[in-house]
């Protein structure tokens, strides 16, 4: 018997009506007419709201939910998310400005990232946001800014742990890393903070990204908690802030399934109960980017040409890796796999094997490689699902000088 090929997770968050994909209640073709151009990204408010609600229902109430806005920094999205989550995590002074403009409470903004420049650190002190310190060099800069401005420098220490997040698409902790302070250096940083009167608040651990295995996320959260508890013994004051990271993934490729939140919720509940005894002042935070916004976004591009080359069908679209680098496989994938892709409107039952490519002069500009798709013609819309995170802002939009994509929040 033939083994069934692995398939993409169903994109059931996007209903179909009469062959049209619906964005909210609006058919995609009408949305495209309203936007006035292709390519564009569309993000759905109801889907964003639904995702946060699901998380709230699955995680303990005591756990605070932060949005890591680098996943999607569109100002309207950040503003919408700021109204749903408990805090915003920024990775630059540029993102800090967007978060503040969006009305996020500075008390609930934290700033992490390697290579924070001196002016960015000073801006953070002036804004009153929490800085996740990742290098001993940042400490005296923060102390000087605090002195000069007469404001407390709120700091947490981002720790590069001595373990890795198993099954993670992108590892960002464990071993030698540019992120965070190696555990071994943390006592020295804490002693400096105490000596210089920095306002120590807690610890930040982030082990990695795009993980679909609940067991390894739970393991990383437990180990992160243990490590923070050990380090709390060196802290100048009680831990108020304990960011256990995130790394929750979404299904992109055939065979991948949605993350099971139930065991993560139970694991966090156990951590919350331990923390109530062992670090009673600590508010537990998880920070998520992709998981909050990734499934709520579409990348929409139009077929400008349909070519058959030696028997293979190519749908040549008006956008590609210049806007949606990740779907082309060039944003950290080792072996290229197809994102879920669709062609709309669906006119009948005829299907064909086709490749969707962008307009750039490079074979890397590939959105779908020989996929089974509804038969498409020039003018149809090619949709890349799972495009709400690491899309427009993570792609080389200037490459080849095509127009920028539009972005709409619907
Ligand atoms: C990028 C990043 C995140 C968000 O990661 P996702 O995989 O999008 O959830 C969270 N925290 C830190 C420190 C990051 O660098």
């Amino acid at each position: 018997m033939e083994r069934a090929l692995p398939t993409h997770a169903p994109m059931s968050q996007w209903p179909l009506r009469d062959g049209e994909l619906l964005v909210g209640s609006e058919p995609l073709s009408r949305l495209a007419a309203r936007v006035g151009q292709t390519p564009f990204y569309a993000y759905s408010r109801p889907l964003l709201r639904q995702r946060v609600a699901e998380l709230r229902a699955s995680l303990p109430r005591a756990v605070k939910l932060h949005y890591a806005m680098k996943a999607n920094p569109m100002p309207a999205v950040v503003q919408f998310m700021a109204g749903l989550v408990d805090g915003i995590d920024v990775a630059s002074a540029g993102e800090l400005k967007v978060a503040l403009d969006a009305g996020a409470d500075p008390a609930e903004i934290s700033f992490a990232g390697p290579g924070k420049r001196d002016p960015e650190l000073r801006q953070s002190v002036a804004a009153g946001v929490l800085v996740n310190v990742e290098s001993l060099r940042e400490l005296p800069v923060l102390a000087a800014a605090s002195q000069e401005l007469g404001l407390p420098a709120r700091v947490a220490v981002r720790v590069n742990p001595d373990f890795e997040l198993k099954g993670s698409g992108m590892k960002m902790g464990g071993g030698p890393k540019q992120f965070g302070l190696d555990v071994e250096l943390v006592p020295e940083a804490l002693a400096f903070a105490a000596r210089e009167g920095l306002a120590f608040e807690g610890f930040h651990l982030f082990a990695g990204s795009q993980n679909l295995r609940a067991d390894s996320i739970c393991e990383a959260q437990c180990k992160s908690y243990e490590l923070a508890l050990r380090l709390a013994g060196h802290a100048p004051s009680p831990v108020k802030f304990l960011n256990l990271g995130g790394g929750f993934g979404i299904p992109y490729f055939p065979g991948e399934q949605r993350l099971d939140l139930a065991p993560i919720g139970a694991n966090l509940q156990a951590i919350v109960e331990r923390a109530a005894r062992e670090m009673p002042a600590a508010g537990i935070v998880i920070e998520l980017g992709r998981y909050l916004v990734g499934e709520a976004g579409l990348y929409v591009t139009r077929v400008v040409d349909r070519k058959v080359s030696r028997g293979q069908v190519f749908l040549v679209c008006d956008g590609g890796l210049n806007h949606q680098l990740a779907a082309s496989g060039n944003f950290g994938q080792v072996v290229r796999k197809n994102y879920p892709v669709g062609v709309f409107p669906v006119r009948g039952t005829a299907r064909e094997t086709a490749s969707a490519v962008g307009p750039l002069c490079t074979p890397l500009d590939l959105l779908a490689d020989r996929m089974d798709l509804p038969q498409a013609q020039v003018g149809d819309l090619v949709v890349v699902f799972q495009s709400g995170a690491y899309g427009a802002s993570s792609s080389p939009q200037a490459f080849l000088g095509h127009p920028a994509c539009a972005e709409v929040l619907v």
Side-chain angles (χ1 to χ4, degrees), residues 67-72 89-91 112-114 132 134 158 170 172 179 204-211 243 245-249 287-293 389-390:
Y67 174 47
M69 66 169 276
K70 79 168 189 284
N72 188 329
D89 290 333
V90 304
N132 293 325
E134 323 212 4
R158 178 171 180 182
M170 208 178 278
M172 291 178 63
F179 309 108
H204 174 213
L205 290 110
F206 183 74
S209 186
Q210 181 49 21
N211 199 319
N243 184 338
F248 297 14
E287 53 176 3
L288 301 174
R290 184 194 315 272
Y291 191 78
L292 293 179
V293 295
Y390 305 107

Side-chain angles (χ1 to χ4, degrees), residues 239-256:
V239 173
K240 290 197 284 188
F241 169 89
L242 179 51
N243 184 338
L244 294 176
F248 297 14
I250 61 172
Y252 287 109
F253 307 123
E256 291 184 341

